Amino acid sequence: MSRRAGMGPVPYDGGVAFRVWAPHARAVAVTGSFSAWQLPGVPLAAEEEGRWAAEVPGVKPGDAYKYVITSATGEELWRADPYAAAMTGSVGESLVPEREFDWSGTENYRTPGWDELVIYEMHVGTFNDEPGGGPGRFADVIPRLPHLAGLGVNAIELMPAAEFPGGFSWGYNPSAPFAVETDLGGPVALKELVREAHRHGIAVLLDVVYNHLGPHDLILWRYDGWHEGGHGGGVYFYDDARARTPWGDTRPDYGRPEVRAYLRDNALHWLEEYRLDGLRWDATAYIRDADGTPLPDGWSLMRWINDEIDRRQPWKISIAEDLRGDPRLTAPTGDGGAGFDAQWDAAFVHPVRRAVTVAEDRDRDMRAVRAAVEHRLAADAPRRVVYTESHDEVANGRARVPEEIWPGSADSWFAKKRSTLGAALVMTVPGVPMLFQGQEFLEDRWFDDRDPLDWTRASRFRGIVDLYRDLIALRRDRHGTTAGLRGDHVSVFHVNDTDKVLAYHRWRNGGRRDDTVVVANFANRGYAHYSLGLPRDGLWRVRLNSDWEGYDPSFASHPAHDAQATPVPRDGLPCSASLALGPYTAVILSQD
């Protein structure tokens, strides 16, 4: 027995308490390096609701251990701890965690406001690694944090870091959901990355996978030995067709209280133990639905966990990758919603990617782009995440945007111009903007978990990096001239599908240094004088011209001068002006 609260290993002065859920076990013991792996091990006492616990003096951080479970049929099963934060590998032993960590230097850190977030999605194994060796590690990310801070990124989103089979993976196959992947560096290294990111003013978000587990090396499979009939996976999983997912028959039983608590504890573990700033939930459509049949237990699980996060740490963001365009995901739980703070928006990425990648100008659909700019999943702009590249969009038969534009020539003029035009939309429409690693220096080909980023491109395309930096600065209103880009409001007032020009007005409260106008030319044609409406008369200053030759020597540096608006109505607005506009170019204007 143990009077100490908590599941898994619970260190205390002089030892460790162990607690595990094994409802069908006949007996449970723990053994490990602290006892030279001797059997029968230290017995755990049965508690209520299928839990077993014991306090073991002398056990210290770093000690390896396993539970020895005697099943109902008398079989001896050696099992890893479902709550273990560290393991020796996906099929290895559990490790007792360290009790303390030095978080110094982060005392003044605050998670950025959601209206200011600029997310950079990252795969640790390829972000800063050398070809031909093992995967990159958390420690390898740290030397590149100054690059990200200089770019203006204030949040990195790590693809899943829970223990998975082998060293190379996207991470969406967690075999030990609480353990930090050994080949990435383990739990202390993850904390070190979070600490250093926070010292640079950068939030850290993490992808979590609750729509399925494993399926390979899955430590929860038939955990206490029990399985009957269709219940092939045992106590943690559904016992019927609800277990089926596209990734294996390993959907957790969202209706079982102990499994629900396990997933809730997992979410809180990442946020609290590692001081992460938020979670991105993978494929939530497969939590709330099974082969077209709604899963009420999955829906209520998401609501419960989001409510618990809001109760404990309401400034931390929960993002759903649902991709079904369902506004209920980001509706408050009090209104019947799932309570997520944001969700990825498929209604933005697909039409915008098509608009910049299709070969012929005549095939670019400005009405579809307008719908993408205006699309809402809630009244608040930060309720959607917008992007042109993500790990899914640049793999699985698809490629990086510059590669899609001109296969084999991602550094061509067309690829540079049109990919950065898409990025300009990402940074100026309502929503939380997101980049995928290497996007800022025209990373080519497609995402592969064995193909590291080519960091020589960051210097080779320094001007393109600067263009992304300038777009991010405007999006975050770092110069105090584009507050509207952090606002909720947008009006697409000019749609020229013949000449492929679109213009929209962004604002928060309205007024000078708030009202911001974005003009996007989706055709290979420049203009010395292009007339369009403006919200107010007076001088409108060009804050960014993506055709500036400083961004790339091949750009034409089409002159985009400040525009003097006069009270001549146009495009449904009270004033108008004429401005120069380069081919495949975005121009951003506001008033002093």
Side-chain angles (χ1 to χ4, degrees):
M1 296 287 289
S2 174
R3 291 173 293 178
R4 303 179 192 278
M7 298 294 293
V10 182
Y12 62 89
D13 290 340
V16 171
F18 295 94
R19 181 173 284 107
V20 66
W21 179 58
H24 296 280
R26 184 186 299 174
V28 179
V30 63
T31 188
S33 58
F34 52 84
S35 60
W37 298 99
Q38 292 181 354
L39 291 178
V42 178
L44 275 63
E47 297 183 332
E48 295 179 348
E49 299 175 338
R51 292 187 292 269
W52 300 75
E55 295 182 5
V56 185
V59 181
K60 60 187 183 302
D63 281 349
Y65 68 99
K66 274 194 170 183
Y67 295 116
V68 182
I69 296 175
T70 304
S71 74
T73 60
E75 185 180 6
E76 182 181 278
L77 307 170
W78 288 63
R79 294 289 191 248
D81 192 333
Y83 279 81
M87 294 182 62
T88 58
S90 60
V91 292
E93 293 88 32
S94 303
L95 298 173
V96 175
E98 299 290 336
R99 295 187 65 186
E100 304 293 337
F101 182 77
D102 177 15
W103 291 101
S104 63
T106 64
E107 296 82 4
N108 296 323
Y109 169 78
R110 296 293 181 272
T111 301
W114 300 345
D115 67 337
E116 190 188 2
L117 276 181
V118 176
I119 298 174
Y120 188 98
E121 189 188 13
M122 176 188 300
H123 177 258
V124 172
T126 56
F127 176 68
N128 187 30
D129 188 33
E130 296 295 330
R137 297 163 71 85
F138 297 120
D140 298 319
V141 175
I142 293 172
R144 297 295 185 183
L145 291 175
H147 166 84
L148 298 178
L151 190 64
V153 165
N154 58 8
I156 55 175
E157 179 187 310
L158 307 180
M159 290 169 66
E163 190 74 47
F164 48 73
F168 295 94
S169 173
W170 288 21
Y172 298 96
N173 52 338
S175 43
F178 275 75
V180 179
E181 169 58 33
T182 306
D183 284 295
L184 299 183
V188 173
L190 175 56
K191 290 180 180 180
E192 289 171 344
L193 172 57
V194 175
R195 179 186 63 197
E196 296 308 311
H198 285 179
R199 288 174 175 175
H200 283 82
I202 298 174
V204 183
L205 317 179
L206 179 69
D207 282 15
V208 291
V209 183
Y210 300 140
N211 49 60
H212 77 290
L213 299 174
H216 304 297
D217 293 354
L218 182 52
I219 67 171
L220 303 179
W221 190 256
R222 298 180 179 177
Y223 190 75
D224 61 5
W226 176 83
H227 59 97
E228 289 182 355
H231 208 311
V235 294
Y236 278 92
F237 303 96
Y238 280 118
D239 62 352
D240 51 28
R242 292 174 295 178
R244 290 200 300 266
T245 78
W247 310 280
D249 297 346
T250 59
R251 182 181 277 115
D253 185 347
Y254 305 131
R256 188 155 192 167
E258 295 85 357
V259 178
R260 291 169 68 87
Y262 180 74
L263 298 176
R264 176 207 58 192
D265 292 348
N266 184 263
L268 296 176
H269 173 74
W270 294 117
L271 293 174
E272 297 176 358
E273 179 66 22
Y274 295 93
R275 301 195 181 185
L276 295 170
D277 299 271
L279 302 175
R280 176 266 195 193
W281 293 44
D282 180 63
T284 53
Y286 292 91
I287 298 175
R288 62 190 183 94
D289 184 275
D291 295 330
T293 301
L295 286 173
D297 290 333
W299 182 261
S300 67
L301 174 79
M302 295 190 295
R303 288 163 49 88
W304 181 44
I305 294 176
N306 284 328
D307 277 345
E308 188 68 8
I309 293 170
D310 287 344
R311 184 181 69 83
R312 297 162 75 121
Q313 297 179 315
W315 63 91
K316 296 193 172 181
I317 191 167
S318 295
I319 300 172
E321 185 223 15
D322 200 76
L323 302 179
R324 300 294 190 274
D326 189 341
R328 295 180 305 156
L329 269 292
T330 44
T333 57
D335 295 336
F340 285 98
D341 303 304
Q343 59 175 308
W344 283 19
D345 189 9
F348 178 86
V349 59
H350 296 149
V352 172
R353 272 182 71 101
R354 174 171 171 76
V356 298
T357 59
V358 69
E360 299 295 333
D361 287 351
R362 64 175 177 268
D363 295 326
R364 305 186 206 288
D365 187 347
M366 294 300 97
R367 294 180 181 85
V369 176
R370 174 180 63 187
V373 172
E374 293 180 330
H375 187 244
R376 289 296 177 116
L377 292 162
D380 299 338
R383 296 297 184 183
R384 70 169 181 166
V385 177
V386 293
Y387 53 95
T388 56
E389 291 195 358
S390 72
H391 68 275
D392 278 327
E393 295 295 335
V394 301
N396 299 317
R398 291 167 288 189
R400 298 284 192 151
V401 171
E403 188 78 24
E404 294 270 3
I405 292 169
W406 195 324
S409 296
D411 57 354
S412 67
W413 179 84
F414 287 97
K416 292 173 184 174
K417 289 292 293 182
R418 300 212 304 262
S419 66
T420 55
L421 179 60
L425 263 69
V426 168
M427 291 299 162
T428 57
V429 303
V432 176
M434 183 179 75
L435 305 176
F436 186 59
Q437 61 176 30
Q439 183 175 347
E440 73 276 20
F441 47 75
L442 302 172
E443 182 71 2
D444 58 359
R445 294 168 55 82
W446 50 87
F447 170 62
D448 183 325
D449 58 25
R450 292 177 180 265
D451 183 15
L453 290 185
D454 180 0
W455 278 93
T456 65
R457 300 175 75 88
S459 55
R460 183 175 159 201
F461 301 113
R462 180 69 247 178
I464 300 297
V465 175
D466 289 343
L467 173 52
Y468 276 87
R469 178 203 63 200
D470 292 348
L471 284 168
I472 292 171
L474 293 175
R475 170 61 181 79
R476 293 180 58 189
D477 192 27
R478 300 187 83 170
H479 306 305
T481 58
T482 51
L485 296 182
R486 292 176 59 179
D488 289 329
H489 306 292
V490 64
S491 172
V492 181
F493 62 83
H494 183 88
V495 182
N496 181 348
D497 199 44
T498 301
D499 296 317
K500 308 303 178 185
V501 178
L502 186 88
Y504 48 95
H505 172 205
R506 293 291 315 283
W507 73 99
R508 172 180 278 177
N509 299 313
R512 297 178 183 275
R513 295 178 171 265
D514 185 325
D515 288 306
T516 303
V517 169
V518 181
V519 186
N521 180 8
F522 283 80
N524 188 14
R525 173 190 175 187
Y527 299 88
H529 303 283
Y530 191 94
S531 297
L532 77 167
L534 287 170
R536 192 169 43 255
D537 64 357
L539 186 66
W540 286 79
R541 294 198 175 276
V542 173
R543 306 301 184 185
L544 182 139
N545 171 18
S546 71
D547 196 44
W548 179 49
E549 63 184 2
Y551 295 136
D552 192 89
S554 70
F555 290 2
S557 209
H558 221 84
H561 302 298
D562 296 343
Q564 185 69 42
T566 58
V568 177
R570 191 180 184 94
D571 296 325
L573 294 175
C575 302
S576 60
S578 176
L579 66 151
L581 189 60
Y584 301 131
T585 293
V587 174
I588 302 173
L589 308 100
S590 69
Q591 291 185 304
D592 288 336

